[in-house]
Amino acid sequence: MGLLANTTLGPYVVQGPLSSGGMGEVYRAHDTQLDRSVALKVLRTDLVGDTSAVARFQREAKLASSLNHPHIISIYSVHETDGMLCIAMELVSGETLSKWIAANKPTLNRILEVFIQIADALAAAHSAGVVHRDLKPGNILVSAQGYAKVLDFGLAKQVVTPDQGGSQISTNISGAADLLGTPPYMSPEQAKGMPVDARTDIFSLGVVLYEAVTGVRPFHGESTIEVLNEVISNPARPAREIKPSLPAELDWILERTLAKQPAERYGAMSEFAADLRRLRGRLDVESSVTSRPRERKLKPLYAGLLLAVILPAVAGIWMYLRSRPAPQASGLRYEQLTDFNDVVTAPALSPDGRMVAFIRGGNFGTSAASGELYVKLLPNGDPIQLTHDGRAKHTPTFTPDGNRIVYTALDRKFVWDSWEVPVLGGPAVPFMRNASGLTFLDEGQIMFAEIDKNPHMSIMTSRLNRIDQRPIYVPQGDGSMAHRTARSPDKKWVLVVEMDGSGWLPCRIVPFDGSSQGRQVGPAGGQCTTASWSPDGKWMYFSSNEGGAFHIWRQAFPDGIPEQITAESNEQEGTAVAPDGKSLITAVGSTQGAVWLHDKQGDRQLTFEGVAMLPKMAPDGKTVFYLQRSGGSRSYISAQLWKVDVTTGTKERVFPGFLMSHYDISADGQHVLFAAAEGEKDPGLWVADLERRRPPRQLTKGGEFRAFFSGVNEIVFLSNGNQRFIQKMGVDGTAPRRILEISATYLLGISPDGQWIAVAMPQEEPDKDGNRIMLIPMEKGRSPIQICKSCVMGFGPGRVNAPLIQWSNDGSSVLLSLKYFGLQSRKTAVLPFAKIAVDMTRSEAEFAKLPGVRLIDEADVFPASRPGEYLMSRRSASSNLFRISLPD
């Protein structure tokens, strides 16, 4: 790997190596123009003068960029600088297929799910006339969660198939020296240099599947010639002879894919994918049936009594299991509607279903995305950008006549207003102040969310001029916010999307007349972020992350059982149901997150899979702890605790089975204090020995979600209830005592010496925006310091971002994340704690002029153990809009 960190290639700045291969080297890089991380594939310098290699390199970019599918690597650009040819592509956090299998030991069901994704991707490529021709485990990346991406289209060929009105293109190869591909995974016709079509990929994918489920390749030999002879002449050994536990149906599928004659294989990759789905569905059903207990000899009388008691109960359980709907992912039809290389969220359909509005920017699970509003005529119109202001937005909705779009916009002080813009373009103008998530009802009536005390939000209804305003739903508790709504077609019920201080809640249904608080509906264990009705009112649809990732669910009204509709490894969020009720539009994509270390060597990536966040360096400076997203919970964060050795890169899961929403490491590095993610363990605070010589101990059971060590033997935490207070207690479980008599919105942190506690507090004036940020002294005689009069706390701190204020390990300096100050800045200021001032609210330029300050060009920065060093959390995401057919 020849390029050093900070090497600049056009707009790309190299950050570190990722992998190398026969054609090129792949680096992680930063796109300075679009401010995103990319994978940069650079043609090897010794191949720059090789015209065939250059042509192959350019063909890879051209053909891959022509394909649009969630499971095909996205190509952003081809760039040549100083004679170096490079391809900028989507940065995927994952491992090659073979490494993923070795590391995760996946079940057959998980393997089939990954191969269904791969087959779907290749089916899309074949529909576009592209044959890959080099399928192998090394050209398939899989994330820790089982999300697959097909890459390396260097040998891909544009093939004109008969149904495209042409003849197949031959890829005759003159001899073994010119043979292109990887021999153990070639099809017989490719190995013989004969014409190929899409069925060559079917054979190769069959080889990869065979190896994945058995652990061995179907064709092997001591030389390339022997391997090719096996591929051309000898049938593969039945997979069940190698692994008898495999189902017979899989053996039949493999036999068909590995047929020597193309005509004897599947006619299309989509047929291969359909059979894999059927097999996976059957295995899902079989796995839900428990195995029979061991037989025991019972005396006839006792046996009869046992049957009389047990059989009715078993029958009841069996009937319940039969009535519980299984995931409905198989058979769904996906139609891609947008083709962006970044993030698309919040789809909304026009009343006639002919246009879709959406926000370009943000992430799954956000209450408002920093992005712009777009509209697109369906199905093939070009997306049109309607706003250009850079403000966070969400919940677009069309006016009843379809001529305008009203959307939620946030200003830098966390003020939620509704704005409107014509669908044909024009200036955006205010529609209603202090109103968000607005929807139009009938006869000039609207429904919206209103902030009555920041941050508390209720659902209201009124006329367009706000006359006759009345509440529909007022959530209980400080920090509770009801964001979005959907009224039932019969006008009697309202679905509500809401959150409290710890995270999104399950969705709720309330009566439109406001006569009760209603009840929760949809999946009970995850975050519900959007909700909609079918046009006939028979179904309620939800986006929920129950199970660990966002998927689409539905529930029959009024009291059906929630059932999961989509079950792919990618995520889906958004429930814009079509007027005919036969489909919905949702955002489909994925999120990655990595932990980085900045030290004297520059920037170094420490984690490479999944969504890693909230790093903390151990006191010895040799280990970094972090959370990695896992499982489902209604908390903003549902993750497992990991640690990585800074020198060797060795990773280890610290407490398998515990899902956490927040954690802190003691000053001596011996213990961890953590909040259990809601719904996993008894909700509350736990303390554990990092050596794991003793079991974790639960300290509280009230759903507390934010806590820090105060010295080795005490903790400070935020209580959870209708009012929240800062409390202190011993790690031995002694009774907590209140140390701040007025309620707080958030607990932000505590200084290493335990003398200062940082809190976010409500404004003293009811109509004042944002939160006050206070430093509360624990030593008598000192005065509190208000460092911010009106800061924006909508990013957390119960979420994945760095908090507003953090102390260095020795307490001499603080890190201030400037985005909370309403500055439209994604930088972090490091300054001596002694220089902290009353009301730090100022511009980025004024921050830069403070004595001893240093600005870091990163939004989420965390302290490290040495001066000048720091940890970073970087996230990236990609998604596009898809229309998904709905089951009957």
Side-chain angles (χ1 to χ4, degrees):
M1 305 289 286
L3 296 183
L4 300 177
N6 297 320
T7 299
T8 299
L9 297 177
Y12 307 109
V13 178
V14 173
Q15 295 175 327
L18 292 177
S19 64
S20 62
M23 285 286 293
E25 300 168 340
V26 183
Y27 299 83
R28 182 186 178 105
H30 182 69
D31 184 342
T32 58
Q33 289 183 340
L34 297 179
D35 190 23
R36 62 182 175 185
S37 295
V38 300
L40 199 65
K41 185 172 184 178
V42 181
L43 182 66
R44 281 182 12 218
T45 54
D46 59 310
L47 295 177
V48 171
D50 186 335
T51 55
S52 63
V54 171
R56 174 182 165 188
F57 198 76
Q58 293 174 331
R59 182 172 65 246
E60 174 183 1
K62 179 180 179 181
L63 293 183
S65 64
S66 69
L67 304 174
N68 300 305
H69 193 274
H71 297 291
I72 294 177
I73 198 80
S74 295
I75 302 296
Y76 299 151
S77 67
V78 180
H79 199 82
E80 184 173 0
T81 302
D82 297 329
M84 301 187 73
L85 189 62
C86 56
I87 302 172
M89 64 185 76
E90 176 185 4
L91 180 64
V92 178
S93 176
E95 300 176 302
T96 61
L97 176 65
S98 54
K99 289 182 179 179
W100 176 76
I101 291 174
N104 294 276
K105 304 295 188 296
T107 63
L108 179 58
N109 288 42
R110 288 195 74 194
I111 291 175
L112 290 176
E113 175 58 37
V114 168
F115 276 81
I116 290 168
Q117 298 171 29
I118 300 167
D120 286 343
L122 294 169
H126 295 167
S127 296
V130 176
V131 178
H132 192 286
R133 295 201 307 162
D134 194 22
L135 289 172
K136 56 186 176 183
N139 285 340
I140 299 165
L141 287 183
V142 187
S143 72
Q145 291 75 31
Y147 187 83
K149 287 276 188 178
V150 180
L151 59 152
D152 200 347
F153 281 73
L155 291 185
K157 195 78 173 179
Q158 193 82 32
V159 176
V160 183
T161 59
D163 60 359
Q164 290 174 303
S167 59
Q168 294 174 346
I169 294 177
S170 171
T171 57
N172 290 315
I173 302 173
S174 58
D178 299 319
L179 200 62
L180 295 178
T182 307
Y185 304 96
M186 282 184 176
S187 67
E189 60 272 24
Q190 189 177 5
K192 291 187 287 188
M194 297 175 63
V196 300
D197 59 18
R199 291 170 295 184
T200 195
D201 283 351
I202 292 173
F203 185 98
S204 297
L205 188 58
V207 174
V208 178
L209 176 59
Y210 186 106
E211 183 179 357
V213 298
T214 65
V216 298
R217 294 173 180 170
F219 311 111
H220 44 80
E222 296 183 0
S223 67
T224 299
I225 297 300
E226 290 179 5
V227 172
L228 292 176
N229 183 63
E230 285 268 321
V231 170
I232 293 170
S233 305
N234 297 334
R237 181 183 175 190
R240 296 182 76 207
E241 290 184 12
I242 301 172
K243 196 171 182 179
S245 61
L246 293 174
E249 186 178 347
L250 179 59
D251 233 352
W252 179 85
I253 292 172
L254 289 169
E255 180 182 355
R256 189 173 180 188
T257 60
L258 299 178
K260 301 298 183 185
Q261 298 300 321
E264 296 174 6
R265 299 176 206 146
Y266 289 98
M269 187 65 77
S270 57
E271 297 176 13
F272 184 11
D275 272 359
L276 292 178
R277 279 193 171 90
R278 277 190 284 270
L279 173 58
R280 188 199 61 186
R282 184 174 66 78
L283 294 177
D284 284 341
V285 173
E286 291 178 356
S287 66
S288 67
V289 180
T290 58
S291 59
R292 295 179 180 179
R294 295 180 180 178
E295 294 183 359
R296 299 182 64 185
K297 293 183 179 180
L298 299 174
K299 292 182 180 181
L301 175 60
Y302 294 136
L305 289 173
L306 184 63
L307 290 174
V309 173
I310 296 298
L311 280 180
V314 171
I317 294 172
W318 173 247
M319 291 300 292
Y320 169 76
L321 290 175
R322 290 195 65 185
S323 67
R324 186 179 178 88
Q328 302 292 316
S330 59
L332 297 183
R333 183 169 53 85
Y334 285 67
E335 177 190 1
Q336 186 167 351
L337 301 178
T338 64
D339 183 23
F340 291 101
N341 292 326
D342 42 20
V343 181
V344 174
T345 59
L349 277 166
S350 61
D352 60 7
R354 298 181 60 193
M355 289 183 288
V356 62
F358 56 91
I359 308 298
R360 183 181 174 191
N363 253 314
F364 290 140
T366 58
S367 54
S370 294
E372 302 298 345
L373 177 68
Y374 283 70
V375 68
K376 172 185 169 73
L377 187 65
L378 297 174
N380 298 316
D382 293 328
I384 299 172
Q385 184 173 345
L386 298 179
T387 64
H388 302 80
D389 53 34
R391 286 182 295 194
K393 302 176 181 67
H394 213 279
T395 324
T397 185
F398 286 83
T399 55
D401 60 11
N403 292 329
R404 293 168 295 150
I405 299 172
V406 176
Y407 60 92
T408 300
L410 280 69
D411 73 4
R412 61 181 59 187
K413 295 298 185 182
F414 205 59
V415 174
W416 297 66
D417 294 332
S418 287
W419 290 65
E420 66 174 336
V421 63
V423 296
L424 298 180
V429 297
F431 182 83
M432 182 178 288
R433 300 294 186 183
N434 191 16
S436 61
L438 187 145
T439 58
F440 292 90
L441 304 179
D442 49 10
E443 299 176 355
Q445 193 173 18
I446 54 177
M447 187 164 53
F448 55 93
E450 178 184 89
I451 293 180
D452 48 71
K453 182 183 71 173
N454 204 338
H456 188 275
M457 187 179 285
S458 303
I459 301 300
M460 301 286 176
T461 184
S462 75
R463 309 287 292 175
L464 286 175
N465 55 9
R466 220 161 190 154
I467 297 297
D468 299 330
Q469 179 171 319
R470 67 169 178 85
I472 294 175
Y473 172 62
V474 180
Q476 302 298 306
D478 286 350
S480 296
M481 302 183 76
H483 273 289
R484 304 162 192 155
T485 56
R487 190 172 71 164
S488 61
D490 67 4
K491 306 178 183 180
K492 296 180 180 179
W493 299 94
V494 176
L495 292 174
V496 178
V497 177
E498 61 177 333
M499 62 169 64
D500 64 11
S502 63
W504 291 102
L505 301 174
C507 277
R508 177 177 295 271
I509 189 169
V510 300
F512 181 69
D513 62 14
S515 58
S516 80
Q517 292 290 98
R519 58 187 171 88
Q520 291 185 342
V521 289
Q527 303 176 18
C528 181
T529 55
T530 67
S532 301
W533 294 86
S534 63
D536 58 9
K538 294 181 179 180
W539 292 99
M540 300 175 285
Y541 291 94
F542 311 97
S543 293
S544 173
N545 73 341
E546 176 160 315
F550 280 100
H551 293 301
I552 306 301
W553 292 67
R554 72 175 182 178
Q555 180 178 352
F557 179 79
D559 53 5
I561 297 173
E563 60 183 59
Q564 188 174 335
I565 297 176
T566 60
E568 289 76 10
S569 295
N570 52 24
E571 296 185 90
Q572 308 86 35
E573 189 183 44
T575 49
V577 181
D580 62 7
K582 296 180 179 180
S583 64
L584 63 76
I585 294 177
T586 188
V588 178
S590 63
T591 302
Q592 296 86 38
V595 172
W596 289 68
L597 171 64
H598 175 87
D599 57 17
K600 61 183 179 180
Q601 301 175 10
D603 293 349
R604 259 194 302 153
Q605 188 172 350
L606 300 180
T607 69
F608 293 89
E609 59 183 358
V611 180
M613 53 198 159
L614 300 183
K616 291 181 184 293
M617 181 164 278
D620 61 9
K622 299 177 181 179
T623 303
V624 171
F625 293 90
Y626 62 95
L627 292 181
Q628 182 160 308
R629 191 178 72 176
S630 177
S633 167
R634 73 168 187 82
S635 304
Y636 287 123
I637 300 172
S638 174
Q640 295 194 51
L641 183 65
W642 287 71
K643 65 180 181 180
V644 58
D645 187 291
V646 172
T647 303
T648 66
T650 304
K651 296 185 300 181
E652 181 184 352
R653 199 189 327 252
V654 181
F655 291 107
F658 268 96
L659 292 183
M660 307 176 185
S661 60
H662 182 260
Y663 76 104
D664 191 31
I665 305 296
S666 62
D668 59 5
Q670 300 298 309
H671 298 89
V672 60
L673 169 69
F674 64 90
E678 190 75 33
E680 286 302 312
K681 301 290 180 185
D682 289 337
L685 302 178
W686 296 65
V687 67
D689 176 4
L690 282 169
E691 292 294 328
R692 289 182 285 183
R693 298 184 184 278
R694 289 175 292 276
R697 306 189 314 277
Q698 187 163 13
L699 300 179
T700 69
K701 295 186 177 182
E704 295 80 6
F705 60 92
R706 189 84 175 168
F708 297 90
F709 280 105
S710 176
V712 175
N713 298 316
E714 287 190 311
I715 68 168
V716 171
F717 66 95
L718 182 69
S719 66
N720 190 33
N722 288 343
Q723 285 187 302
R724 289 179 274 182
F725 296 93
I726 305 298
Q727 303 194 57
K728 180 181 281 192
M729 69 181 298
V731 294
D732 58 358
T734 54
R737 62 188 186 278
R738 192 180 298 178
I739 59 175
L740 189 62
E741 287 303 320
I742 57 176
S743 63
T745 305
Y746 295 114
L747 170 61
L748 302 179
I750 184 169
S751 62
D753 60 8
Q755 294 302 305
W756 294 91
I757 296 177
V759 296
M761 304 185 70
Q763 294 290 0
E764 295 174 320
E765 300 91 356
D767 296 329
K768 191 172 179 60
D769 302 319
N771 291 102
R772 296 180 295 143
I773 308 303
M774 306 291 296
L775 298 182
I776 309 297
M778 293 295 99
E779 183 178 319
K780 292 183 178 180
R782 291 184 176 180
S783 299
I785 301 175
Q786 179 176 277
I787 65 173
C788 183
K789 291 190 295 187
S790 181
C791 266
V792 180
M793 298 309 300
F795 307 107
R799 310 190 193 185
V800 301
N801 309 94
L804 180 146
I805 183 171
Q806 300 170 91
W807 276 265
S808 62
N809 288 353
D810 62 4
S812 64
S813 61
V814 290
L815 284 71
L816 297 178
S817 186
L818 299 189
K819 61 187 172 188
Y820 297 100
F821 289 82
L823 302 179
Q824 300 292 327
S825 172
R826 294 186 58 80
K827 294 183 179 181
T828 300
V830 183
L831 70 156
F833 179 57
K835 299 295 183 182
I836 204 87
V838 175
D839 188 15
M840 299 290 293
T841 307
R842 57 196 68 212
S843 68
E844 182 181 300
E846 288 175 312
F847 264 106
K849 294 177 182 178
L850 292 174
V853 77
R854 175 166 58 102
L855 290 186
I856 299 173
D857 194 17
E858 294 281 344
D860 292 302
V861 176
F862 303 82
S865 59
R866 300 178 184 88
E869 297 184 0
Y870 51 87
L871 295 163
M872 298 171 286
S873 176
R874 292 173 174 172
R875 301 182 75 203
S876 61
S878 61
S879 66
N880 272 294
L881 295 187
F882 282 75
R883 185 189 294 275
I884 300 179
S885 60
L886 293 174
D888 295 332

